[in-house]
Amino acid sequence: MRSWPSTTRRADSRRRLLQLARQLHKQSSRRVSTGILNRLIRDAIAINPPPARQGNRQGKVFYVTQVAVSPPTVAFVVNDPELFDEPYVRYLTKALRDNGPFPEVPLKVMLKARGEGGGGKAVTVESAEEERAREDPSRNFCRRNAGESTGHHR
C-alpha cells in the first residue's frame, strides 16, 4: 500500500519536469521581432541611460535585433561597443529578461558597431539559477562538461 502514493508522486514529478523542459525549450526557441526588442530596450535606456565614457562620449543603441535561437542571441547595434561596460550590458540584458519572453533561459548578447560586418563584442549572460549552480555544483544536476557529447541531437 505504501508504494502506490510514492509511485504517483514520482509520476507527478516526472510530468512537472517534462513540462518545465518543454517550457524552457519553447523559450529558447522563440523569435522576437526587432520592434518589440527595440521598445523594451528604449524603455530601459530611458530609465537608466548609458554612462559617459572616454571624456564626453556616451554609448548609444541604434537598434536591437535577435540573430539566433537556442540560445537566444540578441545583437545591439551601437555607436562604439567599448563605451558599454559589463554592468550596463547586464542591466540591458536583465531588462530583456524581466520584460521580454526569455525569463528563464540564458541570453547571448552581442554589441556591434554600426556598419560592422561580422564579429562584435560578445557577452554571454547567465541566468541567476545557472550562476548559483556554477557556484554550488551540488545544485547542478544536469551539468555537462565543455566538449562532452551526450549523443543526443536537437
Side-chain angles (χ1 to χ4, degrees), residues 111-130:
L111 298 176
K112 294 176 146 190
R114 185 168 22 181
E116 192 176 271
K121 177 179 166 184
V123 179
T124 301
V125 181
E126 298 176 330
S127 68
E129 185 59 35
E130 286 179 316

Side-chain angles (χ1 to χ4, degrees), residues 16-108:
R16 283 193 309 264
L17 180 62
L18 286 173
Q19 183 179 8
L20 177 61
R22 284 187 198 106
Q23 177 185 349
L24 292 175
H25 178 71
K26 186 175 180 180
Q27 277 183 36
S28 72
S29 301
R30 182 147 186 215
R31 284 210 173 266
V32 180
S33 75
T34 298
I36 291 172
L37 293 173
N38 285 331
R39 281 189 286 282
L40 292 172
I41 293 303
R42 183 181 57 218
D43 293 345
I45 290 172
I47 293 169
N48 183 14
R53 299 255 183 243
Q54 298 175 355
N56 236 1
R57 293 190 65 200
Q58 186 172 16
K60 181 175 180 179
V61 177
F62 295 116
Y63 66 93
V64 184
T65 188
Q66 185 176 357
V67 295
V69 295
S70 295
T73 304
V74 178
F76 286 77
V77 179
V78 299
N79 58 342
D80 183 358
E82 297 301 320
L83 296 175
F84 292 85
D85 58 0
E86 188 175 341
Y88 194 73
V89 173
R90 283 188 180 275
Y91 164 73
L92 294 175
T93 305
K94 185 177 182 328
L96 285 176
R97 180 169 282 120
D98 291 349
N99 302 312
F102 311 114
E104 300 165 326
V105 294
L107 293 175
K108 185 175 179 184

